[in-house]
C-alpha cells in the first residue's frame, strides 16, 4: 500500500508506492492546465499562455522564459516543471557512484567567482598532484563499486600534454571499466592553444587515451556582457559550444552547466538555456543541464549574496521547461545544498549527480555541504522526497534501482 501525500503544497495527491510508474499527471488533468484551482493560480501567476503552449507541445521562447522568472507564484512554475519532468521520467531520480578529482589548482585564468585557482605553482595554497598521487585516489577506492571519475583542473601553464594522456591511461589500467568524464571545454581550448593543436586533435588524442565524455563546467553564462566581467580571459561562448559540438560529432556525450546567482539577469539566464537548446537541436549530445549556484566566499565577488533556495528552485524549474530537448536536469547537491536539491526533485530535477567524495571548488568558495554522500544517503534523500532512486552510470544505463 502506498502512502498518500501532498505534492509541494499544491493540494494534489500522489501515492508514493506508485511514483515509479506515474502517468503524466500527478492527480491533475495532464491534457489541460489542470484543476480549476491550478488554472486560477496559473492565470494569477501570469503563466496561462506558457501552460497552454506546454499543453500544445509548442516550444517556449525568450518571452516565456522571462514570464517564468517574473511570475510571483513559484509553486505554479514548479508545478509546470514537475509535469514535464514526470512526462520524461515519472518519479525516477538518477544518481551515480562517482569520485571527483582536481589534480591541480594552478590556473592562468582569473575568473572572479573562483576561490579554487592559484595563479602560479609557488603561490600559497597552490598544488599539483603527481600522477601516482592522482591514481592513488582511485586505487584507494578499490572496494567501491564506483562507475565514474570526474576530473576538473586549473589551466596549468607548465604541465606537458603527456601528463593528461598518462593520467587517463593510468585510470584505465587501474580500472578498465570506469567511465572517465574529464576536462571541461575550457580546458580543451587551453590545451589546444598551449600544445599547438586544434580542438579536435586534442579531443581525439584524449579519447585515444581513454576519455569517455566531457563534463559541463566552464559554461558560466554565455552572454558576452557577463563573460567579459567575470571570466574575460578564458575560452569564450562560441568556442565552448563548438568544442561540445565537436565532442558530440566524435561520439562523446557531454553536459552543460550555467553558473547563476551573481550578476546575470533573468533574460541572460534564458538566453543561456536557449543557446544550449539550439546546439542540442543539431547534435542531441547533451545528457544533462546543470545549473550551478554561485558561492560567494573567498573570491572576488564575495560582496554578492548567495542565491536563495527559492531562486535555486526556480532556475532548475525554468531549465526543465525551456530545455525541452535535454533529457536530464541535474541539481548538483554540493552547490545547491542537500535540502534544496531534495526539494528540487519536485521542481523539474530528475538527477542528483553522485557521491562526489572529494570536492574543492565549492568547498573553497564556502559550501557547507558534506564532502561525500554514500549511495545509501542519496537513495534515502530521494525516497523520502517521494521519488524513486535509480543508480545510473554516466550514460544513464541503470546500475541498480534502490
Ligand atoms: O565551471 C567555480 C563552477 C564549475 C564557483 O558535468 C563555481 O556533471 C559556484 O562544472 N560558486 C565546475 N560555482 C563544476 C562543474 C560540474 C559540477 C557538477 C557536475 C558537472 C557535470 C560539472 O564550478 C565551474 C564553475 O562554473 N564554480 N567556482 C563558485 N564560487
Amino acid at each position: 500500500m502506498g502512502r498518500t501525500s501532498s505534492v509541494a503544497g499544491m493540494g494534489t495527491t500522489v501515492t508514493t508506492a506508485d511514483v515509479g510508474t506515474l502517468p503524466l499527471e500527478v492527480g491533475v488533468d495532464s491534457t489541460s492546465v489542470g484543476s480549476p484551482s491550478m488554472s486560477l493560480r496559473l492565470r494569477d501567476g501570469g503563466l496561462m499562455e506558457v501552460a497552454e503552449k506546454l499543453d500544445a507541445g509548442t516550444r517556449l521562447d525568450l518571452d516565456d522564459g522571462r514570464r517564468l522568472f517574473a511570475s510571483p507564484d513559484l509553486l505554479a512554475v514548479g508545478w509546470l516543471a514537475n509535469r514535464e519532468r514526470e512526462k520524461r521520467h515519472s518519479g525516477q531520480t538518477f544518481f551515480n557512484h562517482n569520485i571527483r578529482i582536481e589534480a591541480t589548482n594552478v590556473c592562468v585564468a582569473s575568473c572572479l567567482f573562483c576561490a579554487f585557482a592559484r595563479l602560479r605553482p609557488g603561490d600559497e595554497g597552490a598544488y599539483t598532484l603527481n600522477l601516482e598521487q592522482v591514481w592513488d585516489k582511485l586505487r584507494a577506492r578499490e572496494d567501491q563499486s564506483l562507475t565514474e571519475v570526474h576530473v576538473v583542473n586549473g589551466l596549468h601553464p607548465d604541465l606537458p600534454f603527456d601528463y593528461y594522456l598518462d593520467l587517463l591511461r593510468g585510470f584505465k589500467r587501474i580500472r578498465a571499466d570506469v567511465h572517465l568524464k574529464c576536462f571541461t571545454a575550457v580546458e580543451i581550448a587551453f590545451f589546444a592553444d598551449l600544445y599547438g593543436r586544434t580542438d579536435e586533435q586534442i579531443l581525439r588524442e584524449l579519447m585515444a587515451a581513454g576519455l569517455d565524455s566531457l563534463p559541463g563546467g566552464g559554461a558560466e553564462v554565455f552572454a558576452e556582457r557577463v563573460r567579459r566581467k567575470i571570466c574575460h580571459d578564458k575560452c569564450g561562448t562560441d568556442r565552448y559550444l563548438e568544442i561540445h559540438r565537436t565532442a558530440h560529432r566524435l561520439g562523446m556525450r557531454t553536459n552543460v552547466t550555467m553558473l547563476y546567482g551573481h550578476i546575470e539577469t533573468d533574460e541572460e539566464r534564458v538566453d543561456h538555456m536557449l543557446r544550449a537548446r539550439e546546439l542540442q537541436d543539431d547534435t542531441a549530445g547533451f545528457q544533462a543541464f546543470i545549473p550551478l549556484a554561485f558561492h560567494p566566499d573567498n573570491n572576488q565577488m564575495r560582496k554578492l549574496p548567495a542565491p536563495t533556495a527559492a531562486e535555486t528552485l526556480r532556475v532548475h524549474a525554468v531549465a526543465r521547461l525551456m530545455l525541452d530537448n535535454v533529457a536530464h536536469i541535474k541539481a548538483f547537491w554540493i552547490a545547491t545544498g542537500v535540502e534544496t536539491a531534495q526539494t528540487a526533485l519536485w521542481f523539474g530535477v530528475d538527477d542528483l549527480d553522485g557521491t562526489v567524495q572529494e570536492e574543492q571548488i565549492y568547498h573553497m568558495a564556502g559550501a557547507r555541504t558534506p564532502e561525500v554522500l554514500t549511495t545509501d544517503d542519496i537513495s534515502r534523500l530521494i525516497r523520502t522526497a517521494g521519488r524513486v532512486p535509480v543508480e545510473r552510470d554516466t550514460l544513464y544505463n541503470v546500475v541498480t534501482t534502490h
Side-chain angles (χ1 to χ4, degrees):
M1 271 296 283
R3 184 163 46 89
T4 301
S5 59
S6 174
V7 178
M10 289 299 183
T12 54
T13 54
V14 57
T15 308
T16 51
D18 299 338
V19 286
T21 52
L22 274 178
L24 303 189
E25 66 276 16
V26 184
V28 294
D29 178 358
S30 69
T31 59
S32 74
V33 290
S35 63
S37 64
M38 182 47 67
S39 296
L40 284 178
R41 290 189 74 149
L42 291 169
R43 195 198 60 201
D44 293 348
L47 295 172
M48 210 53 179
E49 205 179 303
V50 173
E52 282 166 3
K53 273 186 159 180
L54 291 167
D55 282 341
T58 307
R59 239 180 186 188
L60 303 187
D61 59 20
L62 187 67
D63 281 340
D64 298 316
R66 276 202 204 104
R67 278 187 202 109
L68 287 161
F69 275 114
S71 173
D73 196 333
L74 173 60
L75 283 182
V77 175
W79 183 85
L80 290 171
N82 185 54
R83 206 170 54 149
E84 295 305 311
R85 179 243 205 256
E86 289 181 356
K87 268 186 205 166
R88 291 165 176 77
H89 308 294
S90 61
Q92 291 187 99
T93 301
F94 302 93
F95 67 97
N96 73 356
H97 194 164
N98 64 353
I99 176 180
R100 175 75 165 266
I101 297 176
E102 289 123 353
T104 179
N105 67 347
V106 173
C107 188
V108 297
S110 48
C111 304
L112 296 194
F113 53 81
C114 190
F116 169 71
R118 296 293 180 275
L119 194 57
R120 278 172 295 270
D123 288 354
E124 196 188 337
Y127 74 87
T128 302
L129 304 179
N130 66 41
L131 288 173
E132 287 299 334
Q133 290 171 316
V134 178
W135 294 329
D136 276 348
K137 292 188 180 290
L138 185 58
R139 288 193 192 107
R141 292 170 172 93
E142 209 172 28
D143 57 328
Q144 292 186 10
S145 55
L146 56 83
T147 57
E148 174 188 284
V149 177
H150 175 179
V151 177
V152 185
N153 296 320
L155 308 177
H156 196 301
D158 303 326
L159 291 172
F161 191 38
D162 278 345
Y163 175 89
Y164 303 99
L165 297 171
D166 287 343
L167 177 143
L168 296 168
R169 291 187 193 113
F171 281 143
K172 289 286 185 185
R173 258 196 317 273
I174 295 164
R175 219 151 151 169
D177 60 334
V178 85
H179 181 109
L180 301 181
K181 182 176 83 178
C182 308
F183 316 124
T184 65
V186 169
E187 291 170 83
I188 302 297
F190 177 74
F191 295 160
D193 295 345
L194 188 65
Y195 306 123
R197 293 163 170 83
T198 65
D199 296 342
E200 179 165 344
Q201 281 167 342
I202 292 288
L203 287 171
R204 284 185 183 279
E205 286 188 53
L206 292 170
M207 286 170 79
L211 181 69
D212 293 305
S213 68
L214 295 186
E220 321 315 355
V221 175
F222 290 146
E224 186 52 32
R225 182 194 76 87
V226 179
R227 244 186 146 70
R228 232 187 356 253
K229 287 194 171 147
I230 69 168
C231 55
H232 70 282
D233 57 356
K234 72 179 186 191
C235 151
T237 296
D238 291 347
R239 192 161 177 200
Y240 175 97
L241 290 169
E242 273 314 302
I243 288 170
H244 281 268
R245 185 189 294 280
T246 307
H248 298 164
R249 177 163 52 77
L250 298 179
M252 281 195 290
R253 308 304 300 274
T254 72
N255 292 331
V256 53
T257 57
M258 177 179 80
L259 179 70
Y260 68 92
H262 44 94
I263 62 163
E264 83 290 359
T265 63
D266 290 344
E267 185 169 325
E268 285 162 343
R269 290 173 178 172
V270 182
D271 166 73
H272 185 99
M273 294 172 192
L274 293 181
R275 292 204 215 189
R277 187 173 85 178
E278 201 178 312
L279 175 56
Q280 182 74 342
D281 277 342
D282 292 344
T283 66
F286 287 132
Q287 301 202 105
F289 183 83
I290 312 160
L292 295 170
F294 169 61
H295 279 249
D297 286 1
N298 307 318
N299 60 47
Q300 294 182 67
M301 298 204 289
R302 59 185 163 271
K303 294 223 164 69
L304 296 176
T308 62
E311 224 176 326
T312 287
L313 295 174
R314 189 184 296 258
V315 168
H316 286 77
V318 177
R320 175 63 288 161
L321 292 165
M322 299 307 300
L323 288 155
D324 55 4
N325 55 1
V326 176
H328 303 283
I329 303 296
K330 186 192 280 192
F332 184 45
W333 56 265
I334 299 249
T336 60
V338 172
E339 293 81 1
T340 309
Q342 185 187 34
T343 312
L345 300 182
W346 289 98
F347 285 75
V349 167
D350 65 279
D351 191 297
L352 288 185
D353 197 73
T355 48
V356 186
Q357 314 204 36
E358 277 188 34
E359 198 284 334
Q360 306 207 46
I361 296 177
Y362 283 87
H363 288 98
M364 288 170 87
R368 279 176 282 279
T369 38
E371 287 222 9
V372 54
L373 289 179
T374 65
T375 51
D376 282 348
D377 293 335
I378 300 179
S379 189
R380 182 170 164 277
L381 280 175
I382 296 170
R383 240 181 310 107
T384 56
R387 297 304 209 186
V388 178
V390 179
E391 188 181 333
R392 60 163 175 86
D393 65 13
T394 312
L395 301 175
Y396 289 83
N397 300 304
V398 174
V399 175
T400 341
T401 302
H402 282 245

